[in-house]
Amino acid sequence: MLSRAFTKPKRSFKEYGENSRSGSISEYDDCIVGFIDDLPLIPCENNGPSLSLKEVLRTSVSVMGENARGLTEKVVLSNARLCTLKRFRKVIVRKSEFGRRVEKLAQVCNNCDYLVPITAYLYAKRIKLVVSDYYPMGSLADLLSGGRRGQTALNWNERVIIIESIARAISFIHGQSPETVKNMKMNVHGNIKSSNIMINIDLTARLSDYGFVQLADCVEDCDTKEKRATTHNIYCENLSQQSDVFNFGMVLLDMLAGVQDLSYMDCIVKLEESIKQGDIPFFEFHMKGKERKQALKVLEIALACTSSLPETRPSIHQILFDLTHLLKTSK
């Protein structure tokens, strides 16, 4: 079994909230802890841990990810429990609405084995955060990039387990009823991408950040603008089920062949038959026989998901049916 832990060292980060300042995370935390009273986090579970703002800030040990919406940190609590802390740059709702939305999202997440549970949250004047479970295997993006750098790469069977887990997570979200609760869409994820797919030790996957796009807006500083200019955003940011399906298709293409550029899409479609015949190398891992047939079927699903016409994309329920049928008939 694979054993990986992907974290990044702490680095400079601009403060989230109304009053911006530059400095390291530790400097920012000292400022927060020194100038405001300690605040209790609001638990999202009946028997959830009792946490305080000072505890989660002081026990932050590394930055796992950063984007225009917020910062994700690894937190080691005093009882040795590991958690993930998400700090938002610019929350778009007021305090009471923020709490109501987080609790509703937590209720959905905590009832699905394929979504990352939300355990607590806090809305204070200078900081807004959500605490969720931590996964030492890291994200799918970590595992894929690690394999491409020479570390142990995921084999096809491991990728299949992850693919099915992601599809089940999206299917659970898209099946939510009622679809909308007080102006919040409950049946859309809104930000499906490989860095938001967390991996369990048994290689099953859990989808994180469900509904977070309805909590906070994106804020770009000079660093994030520079990164955006030098990288391609392959994911669709529209809040709709069709966009969720598109993003799932892009995750599949990344898992199949490392496709991370939309400019390759037309080329893949034109060469699909040649890929099926084996005339053109496409997959980034070796396989043959049953595994290759499975991978080709997943490629078909990925191309259907990434159709330029949203109305022609399959529903996630149809995708999950096809994946389940594929796995059953190939055993």
Side-chain angles (χ1 to χ4, degrees), residues 170 174 192 240-252 301-302 304-307 310 313-317 319:
I170 302 172
H174 286 194
I192 296 169
S240 69
Q241 291 190 350
Q242 290 86 353
S243 294
D244 279 354
V245 169
F246 177 90
N247 290 341
F248 176 64
M250 292 307 302
V251 170
L252 294 183
I301 294 173
C305 290
T306 53
S307 168
R313 297 169 193 163
S315 69
I316 192 62
H317 305 300
I319 294 168

Side-chain angles (χ1 to χ4, degrees), residues 64-179:
M64 299 192 298
E66 181 181 353
N67 56 36
R69 187 166 280 109
L71 175 78
T72 304
E73 301 172 59
K74 175 183 176 182
V75 174
V76 183
L77 303 177
S78 56
N79 60 0
R81 175 174 174 171
L82 300 177
C83 292
T84 298
L85 174 68
K86 170 80 74 173
R87 302 199 220 178
F88 297 110
R89 287 180 183 270
K90 182 182 179 182
V91 169
I92 58 177
V93 292
R94 295 184 180 275
K95 182 175 182 178
S96 60
E97 179 67 9
F98 180 82
R100 187 188 65 78
R101 291 193 178 195
V102 172
E103 290 177 0
K104 195 64 181 179
L105 295 171
Q107 183 180 353
V108 176
C109 290
N110 298 344
N111 286 325
C112 179
D113 292 336
Y114 302 99
L115 294 174
V116 172
I118 298 173
T119 58
Y121 68 92
L122 176 70
Y123 185 111
K125 182 178 180 180
R126 298 177 62 188
I127 187 168
K128 289 83 177 170
L129 57 84
V130 169
V131 177
S132 57
D133 284 0
Y134 173 79
Y135 295 84
M137 292 287 286
S139 70
L140 176 61
D142 294 328
L143 295 183
L144 293 176
S145 62
R148 290 159 190 159
R149 294 195 305 267
Q151 299 177 17
T152 305
L154 293 166
N155 62 39
W156 175 243
N157 289 333
E158 291 167 340
R159 294 177 198 238
V160 166
I161 294 172
I162 294 171
I163 289 170
E164 185 178 13
S165 297
I166 303 166
R168 291 190 181 280
I170 302 172
S171 178
F172 187 84
I173 293 171
H174 286 194
Q176 288 302 300
S177 180
E179 298 177 356

